[in-house]
Amino acid sequence: PPPNIMPPQPSSSANQKMSSTFNPNDENGGLLDRVSTHLRSSIHNARKSVFGIEEEDSGQADSSHNDMVNEVENEVGLFFQRHSDTSANNSDSYEEPPKRSSEVQQSYFSDDLRIMYDSQSIPTEENDATDGESGIFRVYQSRKEWISRKHRKEIFIMAFVAIAVISLALVFGKDDTSDGNEPISDITSPSRSKPGRPTPRTPPEFTVGPELYPNAEPYSSNRVIALIEEAMQGTIDDPNSHQGKALKWIIQDAVGNPPGVDYRVIQRYGLATFYFATVSGSKKWENADNWLSVEHECTWHGVLCGPDGSLSFPETSQRRLETPLSDRVTYLALNENKLHGSIPDEIFLLSDLAQLHLYGNFLGESVPASLGRLKRLHTAYLDNNFFTGSLPRKIGELPLLMNMDISKNSMTGAIPDVFSNLNQLKNLRLDDNNFSGTFPSSLAQVGTLEVLTLGNNDLQGELPQDMSQLSKLGVIQLHENELSGKIPDFASPYLEEINLDNNRFTGLIPTIRDTANLRELRLESNQLSGTIPVGLGDHYELQRLWLDHNQLSGPVPHELGRLEELRSLRLHGNSLSGTVPSSVCSLREVFLDTFQATCEGNSDLECSCCTRC
C-alpha cells in the first residue's frame, strides 16, 4: 500500500487474539467458523432489506440459502486447508520477514500469504454479534487491507465464487412466481447473442455408423484394378493421364482405407479422375477441402450424398450414414471454384448423380457424351465456361432431365433434335453460343417446357407452327438468330416474355391468347407487316412493347391506352399513319417513360407526346 496510508498498529491483546485465530494449522477451523457466521448474517440482512423478510420469518427461509452458504464454506475451507498444508510443509524453512515499519504489524497465514489488518477490521468473539458491519474480507476497505500480488488471483476467484453463490441465494429466495401464475425467468437458460452479432453456425458433422460396413475387408491392388477396368470396360495404359493418376491414388486409398463396398471404390475413383482432369498445372481449385483424403467422399467439398443430396452439407446440421446406399454421391456442386481442364468421361461412374453444378468455371473442350449414361441426372448447370464442340445426342437419353443450362459457352454445330422423349424437361438454356442449323422441331412436343432460351446463335429456318402446344411456356428467347418464316401463335396462361427480335420473320404479328401475365413482347428488327393488333391492349401487365424497325402500317390503336403498366413503347421505323390517340398519350402521365414513334419512318404519323429516339 502507499506509505501514507498504512494501517495502525493493533493492540497487544488483539495481536494475541489474531495469532490464535489465524493460525493456519488450527484444525478447529476458527477462521472458517467466523466466515460462516458473518456470511449467514450478511445473507439474512440482505434478504431482510431487499425482500422485507422479518426476523421472525427468517427461520422459514433458512432452508432456501443454507445450501448456498454450505457451498461457500466448502470453497473457503478448501482454500485455507490448501494454504495450511503449504505452511506445514514449509515450516522448517520458514523465516519471518522483517517488519516494514514499527507502525505496521503483519500476521502470516503461511509463508507466502500476507494480510495487513487493524484491530477494528477483525471481529473477535466479543464483537461478532455487534460488529457485523466490519466483518472479515472487506478487501481494500478504507485501504486498510492488502493482499499480496502473488495470491491475488486465487483470492479473487474465491471471492467471485462467494458473491455468485450469495446472488443465487438471493434470487432463489424470491417467490416462485411474480403474480401467482407467471413463472420467473429461468436463470439457466442460454444467453442470447448481442444485437447485430449473428450466432456462429456449427459446421455439420458427417459420421459413418459402425454398423454401416461391419465386415469391411482390405482390398488388394489387383482387386481394385479389376473393379476399375470392369467399370470402364477397358484398361488404363498411361500412368501420367488423369485416369492413371486417379488409379494410382485409388489403389493406395482402397488398400489403406477399406471402403467397405465395391461401389465406393468406383465412386471414389470417379471423383479422383474428375479432380485430376480439372486441375491444370499450377491452377488449383479455390476450395478442395478433403478431396483425395481418407475422409469419406461425402465430406469432400461440393460432394453431397443421400437422396438427391438431402443427407449432406449444407442441408442438414448433422449427417450419419446408418444404412448402405445412403452414401452414394447424388450432387456435385463445384460452381465458381476455378476449375480448369475438362469434364472427364469417367463422370458416368457417379451413377447416382442427380445434380451437376459446374457453372462459372474455366472448363473447356467438349461436353462428354457419357453424361447421357447418368440416368438419374435431372439438373446440369454448365453455363459460363469455355466448352466447345457440339451438344451430345446422348442428352436425349436422360429420362429425368428437367434443367439444362449450357449458355454462355463457345459450342458449335447443330442442336440435336432429340427432345421428344424428355417428358420432364422444364428449363433449356442454350443461348450465347455458336449453334447453327435449324430449330429442333422436337422441342414443340415437350409439353412440360417452361423456359426456352436459344438467343444469340446462328440458327436458321422456320419455327414449328405447333408451338401453341407448349401450354406451360413462360419464357421464350430466340433473339439474334437467322430465323425466318411466320411466327407461330402462342397460347399459355404462364407466358411472361416473348423475345424474337433481330431475326428475319415475316408475316403478321402473332396472336397471343390465354395469358394475363405477358410483361414483355419484343419483335423489333424483323420484316413483319400488317397492322398493330388491337388485341395487344388486352395484356394489361405488359411493360415493354417493342415493334420498331418492321414494315407495319395503319394507325396506332387506341386500345393500347389500356396498358397502364407500360413503361417502354417503341413503334418507330415503320409506316404508321394518323394521329396517336390521346388515350395512349395519357400513359405518359403514369409509367410510360419511353415512347418512340416518329423519330424514324412513320412520316405520316402525328404524335404530340413522343420522346426522342
Side-chain angles (χ1 to χ4, degrees), residues 124-327:
T124 61
E125 292 179 358
E126 291 80 1
N127 65 10
D128 271 349
T130 61
D131 197 21
E133 291 296 322
S134 60
I136 197 169
F137 285 159
R138 291 189 299 157
V139 180
Y140 294 110
Q141 184 176 7
S142 301
R143 301 187 180 181
K144 293 179 180 180
E145 297 178 19
W146 173 74
I147 302 175
S148 67
R149 292 183 179 179
K150 183 175 181 180
H151 289 279
R152 184 179 299 174
K153 181 177 180 181
E154 295 175 330
I155 296 296
F156 278 9
I157 292 175
M158 181 191 70
F160 177 80
V161 172
I163 293 173
V165 173
I166 292 173
S167 300
L168 292 175
L170 295 177
V171 171
F172 282 110
K174 290 184 179 182
D175 295 336
D176 289 341
T177 57
S178 57
D179 59 0
N181 297 317
E182 188 174 336
I184 61 174
S185 299
D186 183 7
I187 63 171
T188 62
S189 61
S191 60
R192 297 181 182 271
S193 300
K194 294 181 179 180
R197 188 186 299 273
T199 302
R201 292 185 58 189
T202 303
E205 298 180 356
F206 181 94
T207 58
V208 179
E211 62 278 11
L212 186 59
Y213 306 114
N215 300 317
E217 298 179 356
Y219 278 68
S220 65
S221 59
N222 290 334
R223 182 181 177 186
V224 173
I225 294 174
L227 284 173
I228 301 303
E229 290 182 346
E230 180 181 0
M232 294 298 300
Q233 297 181 353
T235 59
I236 300 173
D237 300 323
D238 185 1
N240 295 321
S241 63
H242 50 262
Q243 293 92 346
K245 295 176 182 178
L247 180 61
K248 179 180 178 180
W249 175 83
I250 193 62
I251 291 174
Q252 297 174 346
D253 176 70
V255 172
N257 181 36
V261 286
D262 290 349
Y263 74 78
R264 283 197 58 214
V265 176
I266 298 172
Q267 182 171 264
R268 289 172 74 86
Y269 170 76
L271 290 171
T273 305
F274 181 89
Y275 176 81
F276 286 114
T278 55
V279 172
S280 178
S282 61
K283 299 176 180 178
K284 305 298 184 182
W285 291 6
E286 184 171 297
N287 189 338
D289 290 351
N290 285 348
W291 275 77
L292 304 190
S293 70
V294 297
E295 300 295 332
H296 196 290
E297 58 271 23
C298 293
T299 67
W300 296 2
H301 171 72
V303 179
L304 290 84
C305 299
D308 201 8
S310 60
L311 294 182
S312 303
F313 178 81
E315 282 79 3
T316 57
S317 59
Q318 185 172 4
R319 299 167 285 167
R320 182 175 177 85
L321 304 180
E322 301 290 356
T323 59
L325 306 184
S326 62
D327 59 350

Side-chain angles (χ1 to χ4, degrees), residues 455-471:
N456 198 17
N457 282 289
D458 295 319
L459 300 178
Q460 301 176 357
E462 300 183 2
L463 295 180
Q465 294 302 305
D466 54 354
M467 296 283 285
S468 59
Q469 297 181 10
L470 302 178
S471 59

Side-chain angles (χ1 to χ4, degrees), residues 362-374:
F362 301 91
L363 297 172
E365 301 185 20
S366 60
V367 176
S370 59
L371 281 181
R373 301 174 65 176
L374 298 173

Side-chain angles (χ1 to χ4, degrees), residues 489-501:
D489 296 337
F490 294 95
S492 170
Y494 308 100
L495 198 57
E496 295 184 3
E497 179 182 347
I498 300 176
N499 192 340
L500 307 179
D501 64 276

Side-chain angles (χ1 to χ4, degrees), residues 79-94:
F79 175 81
F80 283 105
Q81 180 63 41
R82 179 161 58 85
H83 283 284
S84 297
D85 294 342
T86 302
S87 178
N89 293 335
N90 299 330
S91 60
D92 295 339
S93 59
Y94 171 75

